Amino acid sequence: DGKLDFREFLAIVKSMRTATVKKGGGMNGFLRRLQSDVKRSLMGDFQEYGVLGRRLLKPKQFKIEEERRRQEQEVQEAHELERWGKQMEARRAALAQEELRQRQEKLAITFEYEVLFHGNEVDFPDDKSVVAVHLRVFVEGQLIENSRSRGRPFKFRVDGGAVIPGLSRLIRKMSLGTRCHAILPPEMAYGEQGLPPKIPRHATVELDVELVGVELSTDMQELLSDS
């Protein structure tokens, strides 16, 4: 049955000792041989087992335990991936919230304007409209832009980002034919950096604006035709 009782073990040891002594190895030689045989026997036994952590397992049990640990690792990695995804989603939401806060702060900034001439009070541009304006721009009392001297108006889309925020907001308040004078703080004009060399940092800008053309967006045209 593969088992060895104590008497059989003593007989094997006695025979090994006798054989070693006859060969002239003495007691030290016998002990060295016994140690070598025990080590070789143990290593043979280890080959029939698997070592997992500090435990010695039989092949079938080792395979089961290894599979269990692999599954645990996959679950842990899935949880880590889910946690990372939630963190990224939270960061995106925080960034969107910050952008919204900044937009709201900009909208809260006011500027002075005066209507010099009223328009037709009918044709108001929407965000997607393309408008034509005659424009004069003053910085620190100096004229730096004048579309009238060029003989043609300045065209831009209201929400296209091509003009300073204050002009875009002002145009939304004007109907076709309206002319306004406005004083814009730096936040509604060229900001802290300015636009060197013509426009210095933190510059207040004055505008003389006349809305001379409005190309309504398709949505606005449909809305007006339905009404």
Side-chain angles (χ1 to χ4, degrees):
D1 59 0
K3 295 182 179 179
L4 187 68
D5 61 23
F6 185 66
R7 286 177 297 178
E8 291 174 331
F9 173 73
L10 289 179
I12 292 172
V13 170
K14 184 177 180 181
S15 64
M16 289 174 60
R17 179 183 176 184
T18 301
T20 304
V21 171
K22 285 181 178 180
K23 292 180 180 180
M27 181 59 69
N28 290 335
F30 165 71
L31 293 177
R32 284 195 300 272
R33 182 177 176 184
L34 179 61
Q35 182 181 18
S36 175
D37 289 347
V38 170
K39 183 184 295 185
R40 187 165 52 251
S41 176
L42 288 174
M43 292 302 295
D45 290 342
F46 282 160
Q47 291 176 1
E48 298 179 1
Y49 288 79
V51 179
L52 193 65
R54 294 184 177 181
R55 291 184 295 172
L56 195 63
L57 304 175
K58 290 185 177 180
K60 185 176 181 180
Q61 186 180 1
F62 175 81
K63 192 172 183 179
I64 294 173
E65 185 68 14
E66 191 177 40
E67 177 66 18
R68 184 186 67 80
R69 289 201 173 190
R70 186 188 64 80
Q71 292 177 355
E72 287 180 353
Q73 185 175 1
E74 288 180 353
V75 171
Q76 184 177 0
E77 290 175 353
H79 288 164
E80 287 292 326
L81 186 61
E82 182 180 3
R83 183 173 64 85
W84 179 81
K86 289 181 178 179
Q87 289 178 347
M88 292 300 296
E89 188 66 27
R91 289 177 184 175
R92 284 194 292 267
L95 287 174
Q97 188 67 24
E98 179 62 18
E99 290 178 359
L100 176 61
R101 184 188 66 79
Q102 292 178 359
R103 287 198 301 268
Q104 290 174 340
E105 285 183 355
K106 278 190 174 182
L107 290 174
I109 298 172
T110 60
F111 58 88
E112 299 178 14
Y113 74 96
E114 178 185 3
V115 177
L116 303 177
F117 301 104
H118 290 280
N120 63 10
E121 301 296 328
V122 174
D123 300 316
F124 289 89
D126 63 352
D127 290 346
K128 298 180 181 178
S129 297
V130 175
V131 297
V133 301
H134 273 304
L135 177 67
R136 292 195 301 167
V137 180
F138 298 86
V139 177
E140 297 181 349
Q142 295 184 355
L143 179 64
I144 65 169
E145 178 65 38
N146 187 358
S147 65
R148 293 184 186 277
S149 65
R150 295 200 308 265
R152 64 179 184 275
F154 176 53
K155 285 189 174 183
F156 61 93
R157 177 169 158 162
V158 175
D159 67 348
V163 297
I164 56 179
L167 178 56
S168 180
R169 284 178 60 180
L170 180 62
I171 287 296
R172 289 175 171 88
K173 302 175 183 292
M174 300 169 62
S175 64
L176 183 63
T178 301
R179 185 172 180 178
C180 289
H181 174 262
I183 300 176
L184 306 180
E187 295 83 0
M188 287 287 100
Y190 296 94
E192 297 180 0
Q193 300 302 320
L195 194 62
K198 286 186 175 182
I199 302 172
R201 293 166 54 90
H202 301 283
T204 297
V205 175
E206 292 187 50
L207 301 179
D208 178 7
V209 186
E210 182 181 1
L211 182 58
V212 297
V214 178
E215 296 176 13
L216 297 177
S217 65
T218 304
D219 295 341
M220 182 60 73
Q221 291 176 5
E222 292 177 353
L223 179 62
L224 293 175
S225 63
D226 291 342
S227 60

